Amino acid sequence: MPADRTLDQLRAAAEATRGDVPSPRTGDPTPDTGPDDGTVVRVGDEQDTIAGVAARYVAAPRDTGQAAALLRAAAALDLAVTFRGGGTKQDWGSPPTRLDLILDTTALTGVVEHAAGDLITVVRAGTRLDELPATLAGAGQQLALDAPLPGGTVGGAVATNTSGPRRMLYGTVRDLLIGVTLVRADGVVAHAGGKVVKNVAGYDLGKLVTGAYGTLGLITECAFRLHPLPAAAAYVSRAVDDLAEAGRLAATIRAAQLVPTALEVDAPAGGGATVTVLLEGTPAGVAARAAAVRRLLGADATDSDQPPEGWARYPWRDGDVGLKLTAALSGVPRLLADARAAADRHDLPLAVRGSAGVGVLYAGLPGASDPERVAGLVDALRTATAADGGHTVVLTAPAPVRDRVDLWGPVHGLQLMRRVKQRFDPDARLAPGRFVGGI
C-alpha cells in the first residue's frame, strides 16, 4: 500500500474520534481532540528512531479513545508499533525487528484524579514523573517513585519497571501501581485494578505489563497509591576506601533495624565508595535514628538534609553501557567486591551505584569501551550475580556492544512469556524483538 494512503488511513482513524466522548475511566467528557491537522499523525523524521531503527510514521493520540482507534487502524494495516514517552529509554532493550509507527504518549498528560483522602491518584501515561511532586505536594502527599532520568514519563516508568533508592521502604512501581488502562494490539481497551488500595479485581494485568517494555499493549492511564510527605529527612553518609568496607557497613545498617527509606552505595570508577542512608519521619525520630546511623558508620560519617551528588541517578551517560545487577541481600557485599575485581581484570573503568538495601545495583562503562572486554566483563558479572541468586542485564549499550553481547542473559520462564505475548499480541506487532528472547 502506498505510504500516502497509509498516512491518510491513520489520520482518518484519529479524526474519527473527534468530539466529546466519555472518559474510559471516569465517565466524564474529555476535551474535543479537534481535527487531525498533522500534529496527531505525521511522517517520521530523523529524530524518530527506536534503538537506531527509524519509524515511517509517528502518532500522538490525545486520549485513550484516539489511541485505541490508531491501534485498530495499525492492526488493519499490519503496522509494527512501538511506544514512546519522554524518549529517555529508547536505547534500552533490543532494537525492534520491524518498526512502522511510533505511538507517542506525550499528549496523554495530566492528573485525571487525585483522591487525597484515599491516598490515590490516577495519572495519564505521558505525564512526566518529575512533575508529579509539585502537583501532589499541596495535599502533603507523594508518589514515592524516583526519577533517575529527567523527563521520563509515568508510562515509561511502568513499562520498564523503573525504581530508585526509595524502593527499599515504599516498594517498586509494581507495588505502587493499583490500576491500569491498557490498549491492546487490536485496539480493545482493557482496565485492571481500580482506585481502592485493597481492590484486587484484575490487578494481575497491571503486574503483567509492568516491565514488559510495551510488548503487551499501550498503557494510557495508571492509578497509584500515594504516601504522606515526611516531615523531616536526613542523609547520613560515610566515604570509605574500598568496596568490601562499603559492603560491610551496608550490612551493619541493614541489621540495625533502623527502618531506613534507602541504603545506597556509590562507587565511582576511580576507586573508593560512599555509603548513604536516607531516613524519613518526624523531626525527633529522624534526629535520633540519624545519630544511631552515625555511630554505626563511624566517626567520619556526616549528615545533611540534602541528597548527595548523583543520588537516584544512573552511573552512566547517554551512549554509555548501562548494566543492572541483582543479588540476594546477603550477597551484596560479595557482589560489590567481585564487580570491582572483574572490572580490574578486564581493564575497564566500572562505576557502580545502587541499593545495598534491596540488592539492586546499577553499573556503567564508557560507550567507547572495547566490545570484547565488555563481553568478558558481562560474563564475569553474570557468574557473580548467579552465585548470589541474581541476574545481570545490559540495559543500554552502543551498537558495537549490542552486536557482541546478549543483553538479557539467561531468563527463567521464557516459554511462558512467549505464550503471554502470543495471547496479547498474536501477530507480534507491538515492539517486536525489544524484549527478552526476541519477544
Side-chain angles (χ1 to χ4, degrees):
M1 183 178 293
D4 58 337
R5 177 63 177 159
T6 300
L7 185 63
D8 288 345
Q9 289 189 266
L10 289 171
R11 284 180 168 166
E15 172 73 8
T17 61
R18 288 183 62 196
D20 289 344
V21 295
S23 166
R25 182 175 289 274
T26 65
D28 296 331
T30 58
D32 190 328
T33 60
D36 176 22
D37 56 4
T39 60
V40 176
V41 185
R42 61 177 175 81
V43 175
D45 59 32
E46 66 275 6
Q47 303 299 317
D48 297 313
T49 63
I50 305 293
V53 179
R56 296 163 60 195
Y57 312 104
V58 177
R62 295 166 181 161
D63 55 43
T64 297
Q66 195 169 62
L70 284 164
L71 282 174
R72 283 194 298 272
L77 294 165
D78 189 30
L79 301 181
V81 185
T82 295
F83 310 128
R84 179 178 70 191
T88 59
K89 297 177 184 173
Q90 295 310 299
D91 288 329
W92 286 36
S94 304
T97 55
R98 184 164 71 100
L99 179 56
D100 300 303
L101 172 67
I102 290 176
L103 207 154
D104 188 298
T105 66
T106 52
L108 293 168
T109 60
V111 174
V112 176
E113 182 178 354
H114 179 196
D118 295 325
L119 287 170
I120 297 297
T121 189
V122 180
V123 186
R124 293 189 178 93
T127 306
R128 285 179 53 148
L129 196 58
D130 54 14
E131 291 180 348
L132 281 177
T135 302
L136 301 173
Q141 296 175 356
Q142 62 172 330
L143 174 59
L145 288 177
D146 300 293
L149 295 172
T153 62
V154 167
V158 174
T160 56
N161 195 23
T162 300
S163 297
R166 293 182 296 165
R167 66 182 288 168
M168 183 177 182
L169 180 65
Y170 298 111
T172 65
V173 171
R174 188 176 274 110
D175 300 311
L176 297 173
L177 183 72
I178 63 170
V180 66
T181 296
L182 183 80
V183 185
R184 299 186 334 198
D186 57 4
V188 173
V189 179
H191 307 285
K195 295 182 289 183
V196 180
V197 170
K198 294 184 180 180
N199 183 348
V200 296
Y203 186 64
D204 283 348
L205 179 59
K207 290 182 179 293
L208 194 64
V209 299
T210 301
Y213 277 65
T215 56
L216 301 179
L218 171 67
I219 300 165
T220 60
E221 288 185 6
C222 300
F224 293 103
R225 62 179 298 187
L226 303 176
H227 289 85
L229 282 171
Y235 298 83
V236 186
S237 301
R238 183 186 170 192
V240 295
D241 292 332
D242 61 81
L243 282 174
E245 176 68 1
R248 185 192 69 78
L249 290 174
T252 299
I253 297 298
R254 286 200 310 270
Q257 298 183 347
L258 291 167
V259 196
T261 298
L263 171 56
E264 293 285 291
V265 173
D266 185 7
T274 300
V275 178
T276 299
V277 183
L278 170 59
L279 303 163
E280 294 179 330
T282 65
V286 168
R289 287 186 291 147
V293 170
R294 287 195 300 271
R295 288 193 296 272
L296 292 172
L297 291 182
D300 294 334
T302 62
D303 64 82
S304 171
D305 60 358
Q306 296 297 316
E309 184 178 358
W311 181 264
R313 295 286 186 262
Y314 297 123
W316 64 77
R317 297 174 297 182
D318 288 345
D320 285 349
V321 180
L323 310 170
K324 181 179 181 179
L325 317 176
T326 60
L329 282 178
S330 60
V332 169
R334 182 168 54 252
L335 176 57
L336 286 167
D338 287 349
R340 177 57 54 82
D344 290 344
R345 287 197 307 272
H346 290 87
D347 194 24
L348 288 170
L350 184 74
V352 178
R353 181 184 297 152
S355 179
V358 296
V360 178
L361 305 173
Y362 296 93
L365 293 164
S369 298
D370 177 68
E372 291 299 324
R373 292 185 182 181
V374 173
L377 176 57
V378 169
D379 287 343
L381 292 173
R382 283 184 171 147
T383 298
T385 52
D388 287 313
H391 302 275
T392 296
V393 174
V394 181
L395 296 176
T396 182
V401 173
R402 288 176 182 272
D403 293 342
R404 177 62 183 83
V405 175
D406 176 3
L407 300 184
W408 302 100
V411 178
H412 299 300
L414 184 57
Q415 291 308 311
L416 176 59
M417 293 182 190
R418 292 189 193 282
R419 291 198 296 272
V420 171
K421 172 68 171 178
Q422 171 66 23
R423 190 68 177 268
F424 276 78
D425 181 21
D427 298 321
R429 292 184 303 98
L430 299 185
R434 292 278 282 156
F435 199 33
V436 297
I439 293 175

